[in-house]
Amino acid sequence: MATSRTDPLTLEVVELIGTVVARYYEEYEQAAAQHALTGAQARVLGLLSLDPLPMRRIAQKLKCEPSNITGIVDRLEARGLVERRPDPDDRRVKLAVPTDEGRDTARRLRESLDFAREPLGELTETERTLLRDLLKRMLGADVA
């Protein structure tokens, strides 16, 4: 039997997820500011520290306009945290690539985010695995 989307338990879960997201973004903005970055700049830098990407792909991942990403990458590049390089697979495409300083800044930023790690650290590995799998399922991702 399917539950109503307005049943009290569903409403409570939605409210809790909203609270977690709001607290995460608040801490993320504070951590970014400690590195003289905006939250958007920090998110782009963090994403690039995992894999160099073209602007269009960054915009898709962050669900925003490519023109916004161009401005963010321009500011990160001016600070020496990112550089543009030709894509080895398609020289017409430019990749945004973090510099060594950019990778170091992204690492320090990740290390300064305690909000998500501390509460998760109080869960057992089994509980964290279950939470991860449930979140993936909510997002429609396959769980391996």
Side-chain angles (χ1 to χ4, degrees):
M1 177 175 155
T3 59
S4 165
R5 291 190 177 138
T6 58
D7 70 276
L9 179 58
T10 298
L11 293 175
E12 183 181 11
V13 169
V14 168
E15 184 68 28
L16 288 168
I17 290 171
T19 301
V20 167
V21 169
R23 286 177 63 187
Y24 175 80
Y25 274 110
E26 181 181 328
E27 182 175 298
Y28 201 88
E29 293 290 330
Q30 290 171 354
Q34 290 173 357
H35 297 279
L37 297 169
T38 66
Q41 289 170 338
R43 284 187 285 283
V44 169
L45 187 59
L47 188 61
L48 293 176
S49 72
L50 303 174
D51 194 24
L53 296 167
M55 306 308 154
R56 185 168 304 285
R57 188 72 185 114
I58 298 168
Q60 289 170 341
K61 284 186 170 278
L62 296 180
K63 300 189 182 348
C64 65
E65 291 296 315
S67 60
N68 292 345
I69 298 303
T70 300
I72 292 169
V73 170
D74 287 346
R75 289 185 287 284
L76 290 171
E77 190 172 34
R79 290 209 26 215
L81 300 175
V82 169
E83 60 188 21
R84 289 176 169 93
R85 293 187 193 157
D87 184 336
D89 297 328
D90 184 349
R91 306 221 17 108
R92 296 169 295 174
V93 175
K94 293 280 189 204
L95 296 177
V97 181
T99 62
D100 289 342
E101 183 182 351
R103 276 188 290 280
D104 184 56
T105 300
R107 180 190 50 75
R108 286 184 287 120
L109 180 64
R110 271 191 305 276
E111 289 171 356
S112 68
L113 292 172
D114 295 326
F115 169 69
R117 274 197 308 271
E118 287 178 12
L120 286 172
E122 297 192 18
L123 300 177
T124 67
E125 184 174 353
T126 301
E127 290 169 330
R128 289 192 311 272
T129 301
L130 177 60
L131 178 59
R132 179 206 59 204
D133 293 350
L134 289 170
L135 290 170
K136 283 183 171 185
R137 186 168 152 201
M138 286 175 62
L139 295 170
D142 291 330
V143 178

